[in-house]
Amino acid sequence: MAALRDGFEAVEAEGSAECRGSSGMEVVLPSDPAVPAPLCPHGPTLLFVKVTQGKEETRRFYACSACRDRKDCNFFQWEDEKLSGARLAAREAHNRRCQPPLSRRQCVERYLKFIELPLTQRKFCQRCQQLLLPDDWGQHSEHQVLGDVSITQLRRPSQLLYPLENKKTNAQYLFADRSCQFLVDLLSALGFRRVLCVGTPRLHELIRLTASGDKKSNIKSLLLDIDFRYSQFYMEDSFCHYNMFNHHFFDGKTALEVCRAFLQEDKGEGIIMVTDPPFGGLVEPLAITFKKLIAMWKEGQSQDDSHKELPIFWIFPYFFESRICQFFPSFRMLDYQVDYDNHALYKHGKTGRKQSPVRIFTNIPPNKIILPTEEGYRFCSLCQRYVSLENQHCEHCNSCTSKDGRKWNHCFLCKKCVKPSWIHCSICNHCAVPDHSCEGPKDGCFICGELDHKRSTCPNIATSKRANKAVGKQKQRKSNKMKMETTKGQSMNHTSATRRKKRRERAHQYLGS
């Protein structure tokens, strides 16, 4: 997939590109849904198609759902490719080698033994990121080992483990304590008793810490995360090794039933899902997964409650708002800025464009959510929700329109508010950054340009495929011709060089005689 560049501008550019449907990758449905997708080490793969403005590739391919970089997972298979038995066996062997060295049950058994050890014998290998039992000490004698691991440290594994900061795979940026405490207080104030934490390990920790230290707190939490290292710190009913991009439970049906039971406990009452996916992840597969979790929750509902929605906090950059609302129309974006400890940009206290772009998308009515006034939020009586101080109410839009924490300006030509740095372009007939390209990609279908549908549902898609196939064949013939001419030229050059070499040899013989 497209490489994710570093920094705020990179994430915003990618988010904006996905929202308007520009060149890149699209997730598509298989031609035959009954045929299961091939497996990589991260579970079932996804089917992709490469799309460029006005053109599409004719062949679709399967690739890893979780890894955007082939260096992290090099799985690739054409949709119509037939594999031999030997290749399938080799792939299965590779997938087995890539799995964690210990099973979920073994991790639990080791954890129970570890907490029974005296403090002086509790050691953690920082190189291998592993809790060590006495029998393991010899194998790690030359590694950097942390000793005297306390029970308090075991309850905060995110502070023991090194964050996996690969933006294209794990993007394990951890909530700052300020944001994490705000979320815990908010969940408690809203009356939730259970929290399904999907990719939010630090929130899971704080919920459990609060429950153990405060007898009044009765909130329970279940963590679903792709980082298998957390398996060694939690019992089976507190953690499931999980891939949120394809709804894959690595420990099979046992883990799936743990999740199902957690969602359906108390007939599904008092539960909320909080998720913080990697910012480089595609919205569509995430939405598909979350809808499967919602369906699992609904299985425990009665017919009378079929209209109810599973409460959700989806934490994601604000520039994905239109994309998220496309899949979940009832979602609204809160002004609260979520900050991270180990991210250079997304930190509290910054101003202007340096503010964190990460927000909370939720189907809970915004007027029920109180944001902290001491952190710079105020209540807008017209919008009936809390907004940032700089987010001024626009009388023309009848809304507090800012998305990024700055004061936006109303453009009467566009009939909406825009970022303060944008200007109205008479060529494009809309507002944009001053140095934008007036020939940039447009909204709508890549094939016919209409705005009411996407490329995948275009009635002209068959004609487009035939045209692209013809162009592809023409390019292939041209390429083959160029290769032949190059080979012929190289042969002629080789002959000429041989003749020049023979002439020099004869000249040397003549001069030496």
Side-chain angles (χ1 to χ4, degrees), residues 396-440:
H396 306 288
C397 298
N398 193 28
S399 174
C400 292
T401 53
S402 174
K403 307 291 184 184
D404 62 5
R406 297 179 292 169
K407 181 181 177 181
W408 285 21
N409 302 322
H410 188 82
C411 175
F412 290 94
L413 296 174
C414 292
K415 298 180 181 180
K416 66 177 182 178
C417 287
V418 297
K419 294 181 179 181
S421 58
W422 286 19
I423 59 173
H424 193 85
C425 176
S426 57
I427 299 174
C428 299
N429 197 29
H430 63 75
C431 288
V433 292
D435 57 347
H436 72 283
S437 171
C438 292
E439 298 179 355

CSV table of all heavy atoms in Angstrom, one decimal, residues 396-440:
chain,number,residue,atom,x,y,z
A,396,HIS,N,-23.8,31.8,10.3
A,396,HIS,CA,-24.2,31.5,8.9
A,396,HIS,C,-24.4,29.9,8.8
A,396,HIS,O,-25.3,29.5,8.1
A,396,HIS,CB,-23.2,32.0,7.9
A,396,HIS,CG,-23.0,33.4,8.0
A,396,HIS,ND1,-23.9,34.4,7.7
A,396,HIS,CD2,-21.9,34.1,8.5
A,396,HIS,CE1,-23.3,35.6,7.9
A,396,HIS,NE2,-22.1,35.5,8.4
A,397,CYS,N,-23.5,29.2,9.4
A,397,CYS,CA,-23.6,27.7,9.4
A,397,CYS,C,-24.4,27.2,10.5
A,397,CYS,O,-24.8,26.0,10.5
A,397,CYS,CB,-22.2,27.1,9.5
A,397,CYS,SG,-21.0,27.5,8.2
A,398,ASN,N,-24.7,28.0,11.5
A,398,ASN,CA,-25.5,27.7,12.7
A,398,ASN,C,-24.8,26.5,13.4
A,398,ASN,O,-25.5,25.5,13.8
A,398,ASN,CB,-26.9,27.3,12.3
A,398,ASN,CG,-27.8,27.2,13.6
A,398,ASN,OD1,-27.5,27.9,14.6
A,398,ASN,ND2,-28.8,26.4,13.5
A,399,SER,N,-23.5,26.6,13.5
A,399,SER,CA,-22.7,25.5,14.1
A,399,SER,C,-21.4,26.0,14.6
A,399,SER,O,-20.9,26.9,14.0
A,399,SER,CB,-22.6,24.3,13.2
A,399,SER,OG,-21.8,23.3,13.7
A,400,CYS,N,-20.8,25.3,15.5
A,400,CYS,CA,-19.3,25.5,15.8
A,400,CYS,C,-18.6,24.6,14.9
A,400,CYS,O,-18.5,23.4,15.0
A,400,CYS,CB,-19.1,25.1,17.3
A,400,CYS,SG,-19.8,26.2,18.5
A,401,THR,N,-17.9,25.2,13.9
A,401,THR,CA,-17.5,24.5,12.7
A,401,THR,C,-16.1,24.0,12.7
A,401,THR,O,-15.7,23.1,11.9
A,401,THR,CB,-17.7,25.4,11.5
A,401,THR,OG1,-17.0,26.6,11.7
A,401,THR,CG2,-19.1,25.6,11.2
A,402,SER,N,-15.2,24.5,13.6
A,402,SER,CA,-13.8,24.2,13.6
A,402,SER,C,-13.6,22.7,13.9
A,402,SER,O,-14.3,22.1,14.7
A,402,SER,CB,-13.0,25.0,14.6
A,402,SER,OG,-11.7,24.6,14.7
A,403,LYS,N,-12.7,22.1,13.2
A,403,LYS,CA,-12.3,20.7,13.4
A,403,LYS,C,-11.0,20.5,14.1
A,403,LYS,O,-10.7,19.5,14.7
A,403,LYS,CB,-12.3,19.9,12.1
A,403,LYS,CG,-13.5,20.1,11.2
A,403,LYS,CD,-14.7,19.4,11.8
A,403,LYS,CE,-15.9,19.5,10.8
A,403,LYS,NZ,-17.1,18.9,11.4
A,404,ASP,N,-10.1,21.5,13.9
A,404,ASP,CA,-8.7,21.3,14.4
A,404,ASP,C,-8.3,22.2,15.6
A,404,ASP,O,-7.1,22.3,15.9
A,404,ASP,CB,-7.7,21.6,13.2
A,404,ASP,CG,-7.8,23.0,12.7
A,404,ASP,OD1,-8.6,23.8,13.3
A,404,ASP,OD2,-7.1,23.3,11.7
A,405,GLY,N,-9.3,22.8,16.2
A,405,GLY,CA,-9.0,23.5,17.4
A,405,GLY,C,-8.7,25.0,17.2
A,405,GLY,O,-8.6,25.8,18.1
A,406,ARG,N,-8.6,25.4,15.9
A,406,ARG,CA,-8.4,26.8,15.5
A,406,ARG,C,-9.7,27.5,15.1
A,406,ARG,O,-10.7,26.8,14.8
A,406,ARG,CB,-7.4,26.9,14.4
A,406,ARG,CG,-6.0,26.4,14.7
A,406,ARG,CD,-5.1,26.5,13.5
A,406,ARG,NE,-5.5,25.6,12.4
A,406,ARG,CZ,-5.0,25.7,11.2
A,406,ARG,NH1,-4.1,26.6,10.9
A,406,ARG,NH2,-5.4,24.8,10.3
A,407,LYS,N,-9.7,28.8,15.1
A,407,LYS,CA,-10.9,29.5,14.7
A,407,LYS,C,-11.0,29.5,13.1
A,407,LYS,O,-10.0,29.9,12.4
A,407,LYS,CB,-10.8,31.0,15.1
A,407,LYS,CG,-12.1,31.8,14.7
A,407,LYS,CD,-12.0,33.2,15.2
A,407,LYS,CE,-13.2,34.0,14.7
A,407,LYS,NZ,-13.1,35.4,15.1
A,408,TRP,N,-12.1,29.0,12.6
A,408,TRP,CA,-12.2,28.9,11.1
A,408,TRP,C,-13.0,30.1,10.6
A,408,TRP,O,-13.7,30.8,11.4
A,408,TRP,CB,-13.0,27.6,10.8
A,408,TRP,CG,-12.1,26.4,10.8
A,408,TRP,CD1,-11.0,26.2,11.6
A,408,TRP,CD2,-12.4,25.1,10.2
A,408,TRP,NE1,-10.5,24.9,11.4
A,408,TRP,CE2,-11.3,24.2,10.6
A,408,TRP,CE3,-13.3,24.6,9.3
A,408,TRP,CZ2,-11.2,22.9,10.1
A,408,TRP,CZ3,-13.2,23.3,8.9
A,408,TRP,CH2,-12.2,22.5,9.3
A,409,ASN,N,-12.8,30.4,9.3
A,409,ASN,CA,-13.4,31.6,8.7
A,409,ASN,C,-14.6,31.1,7.8
A,409,ASN,O,-14.4,30.1,7.1
A,409,ASN,CB,-12.4,32.4,7.9
A,409,ASN,CG,-11.3,32.9,8.8
A,409,ASN,OD1,-11.5,33.2,10.0
A,409,ASN,ND2,-10.1,32.8,8.3
A,410,HIS,N,-15.6,31.9,7.7
A,410,HIS,CA,-16.7,31.6,6.8
A,410,HIS,C,-16.5,32.1,5.4
A,410,HIS,O,-16.1,33.3,5.2
A,410,HIS,CB,-18.1,32.1,7.4
A,410,HIS,CG,-19.2,31.6,6.6
A,410,HIS,ND1,-19.8,30.4,6.8
A,410,HIS,CD2,-19.9,32.2,5.6
A,410,HIS,CE1,-20.9,30.3,6.0
A,410,HIS,NE2,-20.9,31.3,5.2
A,411,CYS,N,-16.6,31.2,4.4
A,411,CYS,CA,-16.5,31.6,3.0
A,411,CYS,C,-17.9,31.7,2.5
A,411,CYS,O,-18.6,30.7,2.4
A,411,CYS,CB,-15.6,30.6,2.3
A,411,CYS,SG,-15.6,31.0,0.5
A,412,PHE,N,-18.3,32.9,2.0
A,412,PHE,CA,-19.7,33.1,1.5
A,412,PHE,C,-19.8,32.5,0.1
A,412,PHE,O,-20.9,32.1,-0.3
A,412,PHE,CB,-20.0,34.6,1.5
A,412,PHE,CG,-20.2,35.1,2.9
A,412,PHE,CD1,-19.1,35.8,3.5
A,412,PHE,CD2,-21.4,35.0,3.5
A,412,PHE,CE1,-19.2,36.3,4.8
A,412,PHE,CE2,-21.5,35.6,4.8
A,412,PHE,CZ,-20.4,36.2,5.4
A,413,LEU,N,-18.7,32.3,-0.6
A,413,LEU,CA,-18.8,31.6,-1.9
A,413,LEU,C,-19.0,30.1,-1.8
A,413,LEU,O,-19.8,29.5,-2.5
A,413,LEU,CB,-17.6,32.0,-2.7
A,413,LEU,CG,-17.3,33.4,-3.1
A,413,LEU,CD1,-16.0,33.6,-3.8
A,413,LEU,CD2,-18.5,33.9,-4.0
A,414,CYS,N,-18.2,29.5,-0.8
A,414,CYS,CA,-18.4,28.1,-0.6
A,414,CYS,C,-19.6,27.8,0.3
A,414,CYS,O,-20.0,26.6,0.4
A,414,CYS,CB,-17.1,27.5,0.1
A,414,CYS,SG,-15.7,27.5,-1.0
A,415,LYS,N,-20.1,28.8,1.0
A,415,LYS,CA,-21.2,28.7,1.9
A,415,LYS,C,-20.9,27.7,3.1
A,415,LYS,O,-21.7,26.9,3.5
A,415,LYS,CB,-22.5,28.2,1.2
A,415,LYS,CG,-23.0,29.2,0.1
A,415,LYS,CD,-24.2,28.7,-0.6
A,415,LYS,CE,-24.7,29.7,-1.6
A,415,LYS,NZ,-25.9,29.2,-2.3
A,416,LYS,N,-19.7,27.8,3.5
A,416,LYS,CA,-19.3,27.0,4.7
A,416,LYS,C,-18.0,27.6,5.3
A,416,LYS,O,-17.3,28.4,4.7
A,416,LYS,CB,-19.0,25.5,4.3
A,416,LYS,CG,-17.8,25.3,3.4
A,416,LYS,CD,-17.6,23.9,3.1
A,416,LYS,CE,-16.4,23.6,2.2
A,416,LYS,NZ,-16.1,22.2,1.9
A,417,CYS,N,-17.6,27.1,6.5
A,417,CYS,CA,-16.4,27.6,7.2
A,417,CYS,C,-15.2,26.8,6.7
A,417,CYS,O,-15.4,25.5,6.5
A,417,CYS,CB,-16.6,27.5,8.7
A,417,CYS,SG,-17.7,28.8,9.3
A,418,VAL,N,-14.1,27.4,6.6
A,418,VAL,CA,-12.9,26.7,6.2
A,418,VAL,C,-11.7,27.1,7.1
A,418,VAL,O,-11.8,28.0,7.9
A,418,VAL,CB,-12.5,27.1,4.7
A,418,VAL,CG1,-13.6,26.7,3.7
A,418,VAL,CG2,-12.3,28.6,4.6
A,419,LYS,N,-10.6,26.4,6.9
A,419,LYS,CA,-9.4,26.6,7.8
A,419,LYS,C,-8.9,28.0,7.5
A,419,LYS,O,-9.0,28.6,6.4
A,419,LYS,CB,-8.4,25.6,7.4
A,419,LYS,CG,-8.7,24.2,7.8
A,419,LYS,CD,-7.6,23.2,7.5
A,419,LYS,CE,-8.0,21.8,7.9
A,419,LYS,NZ,-6.9,20.8,7.7
A,420,PRO,N,-8.3,28.7,8.6
A,420,PRO,CA,-7.9,30.1,8.5
A,420,PRO,C,-6.8,30.3,7.4
A,420,PRO,O,-6.7,31.4,6.9
A,420,PRO,CB,-7.4,30.4,9.9
A,420,PRO,CG,-7.1,29.1,10.5
A,420,PRO,CD,-8.1,28.1,9.9
A,421,SER,N,-6.1,29.2,7.1
A,421,SER,CA,-5.0,29.4,6.1
A,421,SER,C,-5.5,29.2,4.6
A,421,SER,O,-4.7,29.4,3.7
A,421,SER,CB,-3.9,28.3,6.4
A,421,SER,OG,-4.4,27.0,6.4
A,422,TRP,N,-6.7,28.8,4.4
A,422,TRP,CA,-7.2,28.5,3.1
A,422,TRP,C,-7.7,29.8,2.4
A,422,TRP,O,-8.2,30.7,3.1
A,422,TRP,CB,-8.4,27.5,3.2
A,422,TRP,CG,-7.9,26.1,3.4
A,422,TRP,CD1,-6.7,25.7,4.0
A,422,TRP,CD2,-8.6,24.9,3.2
A,422,TRP,NE1,-6.6,24.4,4.1
A,422,TRP,CE2,-7.8,23.8,3.6
A,422,TRP,CE3,-9.9,24.6,2.7
A,422,TRP,CZ2,-8.2,22.5,3.5
A,422,TRP,CZ3,-10.3,23.3,2.6
A,422,TRP,CH2,-9.5,22.3,3.0
A,423,ILE,N,-7.7,29.8,1.1
A,423,ILE,CA,-8.2,30.9,0.4
A,423,ILE,C,-9.2,30.4,-0.7
A,423,ILE,O,-9.1,29.2,-1.1
A,423,ILE,CB,-7.1,31.8,-0.3
A,423,ILE,CG1,-6.3,30.9,-1.2
A,423,ILE,CG2,-6.2,32.5,0.7
A,423,ILE,CD1,-5.3,31.7,-2.1
A,424,HIS,N,-10.1,31.2,-1.2
A,424,HIS,CA,-11.0,30.8,-2.2
A,424,HIS,C,-10.3,30.8,-3.6
A,424,HIS,O,-9.8,31.9,-4.0
A,424,HIS,CB,-12.3,31.6,-2.3
A,424,HIS,CG,-13.4,31.0,-3.1
A,424,HIS,ND1,-14.2,30.1,-2.6
A,424,HIS,CD2,-13.7,31.2,-4.4
A,424,HIS,CE1,-15.1,29.7,-3.6
A,424,HIS,NE2,-14.8,30.4,-4.7
A,425,CYS,N,-10.4,29.7,-4.3
A,425,CYS,CA,-9.7,29.6,-5.7
A,425,CYS,C,-10.8,29.8,-6.7
A,425,CYS,O,-11.8,29.0,-6.8
A,425,CYS,CB,-9.0,28.3,-5.8
A,425,CYS,SG,-8.3,28.0,-7.5
A,426,SER,N,-10.7,30.8,-7.5
A,426,SER,CA,-11.7,31.0,-8.6
A,426,SER,C,-11.7,30.0,-9.7
A,426,SER,O,-12.7,29.7,-10.4
A,426,SER,CB,-11.5,32.4,-9.2
A,426,SER,OG,-10.2,32.5,-9.7
A,427,ILE,N,-10.5,29.3,-9.9
A,427,ILE,CA,-10.4,28.3,-10.9
A,427,ILE,C,-11.1,27.0,-10.4
A,427,ILE,O,-11.9,26.4,-11.1
A,427,ILE,CB,-8.9,28.0,-11.2
A,427,ILE,CG1,-8.3,29.3,-11.8
A,427,ILE,CG2,-8.8,26.9,-12.2
A,427,ILE,CD1,-6.8,29.1,-12.0
A,428,CYS,N,-10.8,26.6,-9.2
A,428,CYS,CA,-11.4,25.4,-8.6
A,428,CYS,C,-12.8,25.6,-8.1
A,428,CYS,O,-13.5,24.6,-7.9
A,428,CYS,CB,-10.5,24.8,-7.5
A,428,CYS,SG,-8.8,24.4,-7.9
A,429,ASN,N,-13.1,26.9,-7.9
A,429,ASN,CA,-14.4,27.3,-7.4
A,429,ASN,C,-14.7,26.7,-6.0
A,429,ASN,O,-15.8,26.4,-5.6
A,429,ASN,CB,-15.5,26.8,-8.3
A,429,ASN,CG,-16.8,27.6,-8.1
A,429,ASN,OD1,-16.8,28.7,-7.6
A,429,ASN,ND2,-18.0,26.9,-8.3
A,430,HIS,N,-13.6,26.6,-5.2
A,430,HIS,CA,-13.8,26.2,-3.8
A,430,HIS,C,-12.5,26.7,-3.0
A,430,HIS,O,-11.5,27.0,-3.7
A,430,HIS,CB,-14.0,24.7,-3.6
A,430,HIS,CG,-12.9,23.9,-4.0
A,430,HIS,ND1,-11.7,23.7,-3.3
A,430,HIS,CD2,-12.8,23.1,-5.1
A,430,HIS,CE1,-11.0,22.8,-4.0
A,430,HIS,NE2,-11.6,22.5,-5.1
A,431,CYS,N,-12.5,26.6,-1.7
A,431,CYS,CA,-11.4,27.1,-0.9
A,431,CYS,C,-10.3,25.9,-0.8
A,431,CYS,O,-10.7,24.7,-0.8
A,431,CYS,CB,-11.8,27.5,0.5
A,431,CYS,SG,-12.7,29.0,0.5
A,432,ALA,N,-9.1,26.3,-0.8
A,432,ALA,CA,-8.0,25.4,-0.7
A,432,ALA,C,-6.7,26.1,-0.2
A,432,ALA,O,-6.7,27.3,0.0
A,432,ALA,CB,-7.7,24.7,-2.0
A,433,VAL,N,-5.7,25.3,0.1
A,433,VAL,CA,-4.4,25.9,0.5
A,433,VAL,C,-3.9,26.8,-0.6
A,433,VAL,O,-4.1,26.5,-1.8
A,433,VAL,CB,-3.4,24.9,0.9
A,433,VAL,CG1,-3.8,24.1,2.2
A,433,VAL,CG2,-3.2,23.9,-0.2
A,434,PRO,N,-3.2,27.9,-0.3
A,434,PRO,CA,-2.7,28.8,-1.3
A,434,PRO,C,-1.9,28.2,-2.4
A,434,PRO,O,-2.0,28.6,-3.6
A,434,PRO,CB,-1.9,29.8,-0.5
A,434,PRO,CG,-2.4,29.8,0.9
A,434,PRO,CD,-2.8,28.4,1.1
A,435,ASP,N,-1.0,27.2,-2.1
A,435,ASP,CA,-0.2,26.6,-3.1
A,435,ASP,C,-0.7,25.3,-3.7
A,435,ASP,O,0.1,24.4,-4.1
A,435,ASP,CB,1.2,26.4,-2.6
A,435,ASP,CG,1.2,25.5,-1.3
A,435,ASP,OD1,0.1,25.3,-0.8
A,435,ASP,OD2,2.3,25.1,-0.9
A,436,HIS,N,-2.0,25.1,-3.7
A,436,HIS,CA,-2.6,23.9,-4.2
A,436,HIS,C,-2.5,23.7,-5.7
A,436,HIS,O,-2.3,24.7,-6.4
A,436,HIS,CB,-4.1,23.8,-3.7
A,436,HIS,CG,-5.0,24.7,-4.5
A,436,HIS,ND1,-5.1,26.0,-4.3
A,436,HIS,CD2,-5.8,24.5,-5.5
A,436,HIS,CE1,-5.9,26.6,-5.1
A,436,HIS,NE2,-6.4,25.6,-5.9
A,437,SER,N,-2.7,22.5,-6.2
A,437,SER,CA,-2.7,22.3,-7.6
A,437,SER,C,-4.2,22.3,-8.1
A,437,SER,O,-5.1,21.6,-7.5
A,437,SER,CB,-2.1,20.9,-7.9
A,437,SER,OG,-2.4,20.6,-9.3
A,438,CYS,N,-4.5,23.2,-9.1
A,438,CYS,CA,-5.9,23.3,-9.6
A,438,CYS,C,-6.3,22.1,-10.4
A,438,CYS,O,-7.4,22.0,-10.8
A,438,CYS,CB,-6.0,24.6,-10.4
A,438,CYS,SG,-5.8,26.1,-9.4
A,439,GLU,N,-5.4,21.2,-10.7
A,439,GLU,CA,-5.7,20.0,-11.5
A,439,GLU,C,-5.7,18.7,-10.6
A,439,GLU,O,-5.3,17.7,-11.1
A,439,GLU,CB,-4.7,19.9,-12.7
A,439,GLU,CG,-4.8,21.1,-13.6
A,439,GLU,CD,-3.8,20.9,-14.7
A,439,GLU,OE1,-3.0,20.0,-14.7
A,439,GLU,OE2,-3.8,21.8,-15.6
A,440,GLY,N,-6.0,18.9,-9.3
A,440,GLY,CA,-5.9,17.8,-8.4
A,440,GLY,C,-7.1,16.8,-8.7
A,440,GLY,O,-8.0,17.1,-9.5
